[in-house]
Every structure is written in C-alpha cells, then in structure tokens.
Amino acid sequence: MLWGFLESLLGHACPGCGGRLDAPLLCTACRRDLRAFAAGEMVYLGLYGRVGGLVRALKYGRRFGLAPILAEPLAEAVLAQGWRLSGVTAVPTLFPRLVLRGYNPPELLGRILAARLGLPYLRVLRRRRYTPSQPTRGRARRHLPQDLFVPTLRVEGEWLLVDDVLTSGATFLRAREALLRAGAGRVYGAFLAVRDPGALGPYR
C-alpha cells in the first residue's frame, strides 16, 4: 500500500470526489460515505454519475487497492439480504482483453467479495465473443446473442454474479442465463455502479 501513501503525498486527486487525497487511494470523506443499496435480487454502490470515478479508477486506472475498499460495503449489503449463497463468480471478459489489461475488474472484485463472505470463488462462465458497449435504452439492448456466455463447469445452489457496471442489463442477463444453465438454482447480482435506473426493473 506504499504507493497509495505516495499518491496522497503527491497531491493526486481522490477518484471518488476529485478532491485532495488525505488517505491512501480514497479520501476519508468518500470512505465514510461508501454504502451499498439493495434492489430486489441485486446490490450496488450507486448510480454511475455518483460512483463512476471509482469504477474508472479501478477499471482503467489500475488502482487495484480500491477493490477491497469497494467490496466491503457490497459484502455488508449481501449479508444483510440473507441470501443463502453457495459461491461467487463474475461476468467474464474475452481472453485478448484480459491479456491486454492484465486483469478482469469484476473478477478482482468477485474474489475479494467471496473472501469477505467466506464463500468459494469459481470461474463458471466463459465469454465466447465480443460485443460493443451496450446502450442504456432501445431495442439494441435485446440483440445480444444467446450464446454470448457458456458454462465451463457445473454448479448448484444460489450464486452471486459480479459485474462492475450495469448498463442496459443485457450483458448481465445473458451471463445470468448461462449461470442458470450451469445448474445454479438462483442468481443474484452485485455491481459497483448502475448507469440507467430503468435497467434495475428486471431485478426488483
């Protein structure tokens, strides 16, 4: 965590509010305000307009140390729901993108969540093809191929499926369908951010 302290000493901005860092990685005010919301069968930290800076810092800024900080309120929210989970998995990315970036942010978050919840983390799904960024509204959101994700192993019980951002919900729904085909009896969701509140509809 030494580099986090160096960030604050160098006057780097907090990814949450844009202000000066007075603590490693995330300022004390943003840490204090972190909490997760529940909506039906999902939990999330907030709307993208509020927590988008945190998502970008983790996803593109390679600030891996943010993952445990962001996972903590999500874990608390999951525990508060009383879900009887058997395990945790994440929405996978394509292998070339994984090689280029070096990590999959949802998997990084999912592994930490699993550890916080005392549950196993498994790579249950594989992504078969590339799709462009999803629109928040309109018919295009329904046009993702049904075989976008395929199971790589069999599971049972209730599972938590983790992604960084819920945009239209189409990608998550395809991953959820594949997880159900893998044998899951029920699938819950955990996200850092939600772009479109209307996308919460299927999960309420």
Side-chain angles (χ1 to χ4, degrees):
M1 301 294 288
L2 177 60
W3 63 273
F5 285 101
L6 291 175
E7 276 196 322
S8 64
L9 291 173
L10 291 171
H12 291 181
C14 170
C17 64
R20 186 178 182 278
L21 276 171
D22 59 357
L25 301 166
L26 193 65
C27 76
T28 53
C30 286
R31 287 171 183 260
R32 185 175 58 247
D33 291 341
L34 273 181
R35 66 185 182 94
F37 301 89
E41 297 187 343
M42 61 172 287
V43 296
Y44 63 103
L45 286 186
L47 297 181
Y48 193 86
R50 185 174 72 86
V51 300
L54 299 175
V55 177
R56 292 188 294 273
L58 178 63
K59 193 169 184 176
Y60 306 113
R62 304 184 69 82
R63 298 191 187 182
F64 310 121
L66 280 173
I69 300 171
L70 304 180
E72 195 62 41
L74 287 175
E76 292 175 359
V78 169
L79 290 172
Q81 303 312 300
W83 298 332
R84 298 183 177 181
L85 298 171
S86 298
V88 180
T89 192
V91 175
T93 189
L94 286 171
F95 183 71
R97 187 174 294 174
L98 180 62
V99 170
L100 182 64
R101 183 176 289 157
Y103 68 107
N104 179 24
E107 180 171 352
L108 175 64
L109 188 66
R111 288 186 179 278
I112 297 170
L113 264 175
R116 293 287 192 275
L117 297 170
L119 295 169
Y121 179 90
L122 296 175
R123 286 182 174 177
V124 182
L125 307 177
R126 178 173 61 85
R127 188 167 188 146
R128 296 188 62 181
R129 61 184 74 187
Y130 166 80
T131 56
S133 298
Q134 287 300 295
T136 57
R137 293 183 175 87
R139 288 181 297 176
R141 64 181 287 182
R142 301 194 296 268
H143 291 170
L144 288 181
Q146 291 188 343
D147 63 346
L148 180 61
F149 302 101
V150 292
T152 59
L153 49 85
R154 296 291 298 173
V155 298
E156 58 183 21
E158 300 180 358
W159 279 73
L160 184 67
L161 179 59
V162 180
D163 203 358
D164 47 12
V165 180
L166 183 73
T167 302
S168 71
T171 300
F172 181 81
L173 283 175
R174 286 291 184 248
R176 178 180 177 273
E177 291 166 0
L179 191 50
L180 291 171
R181 291 198 303 273
R186 196 166 189 173
V187 178
Y188 300 97
F191 312 92
L192 292 179
V194 172
R195 277 192 180 274
D196 177 15
L200 296 175
Y203 315 107
R204 291 189 185 277

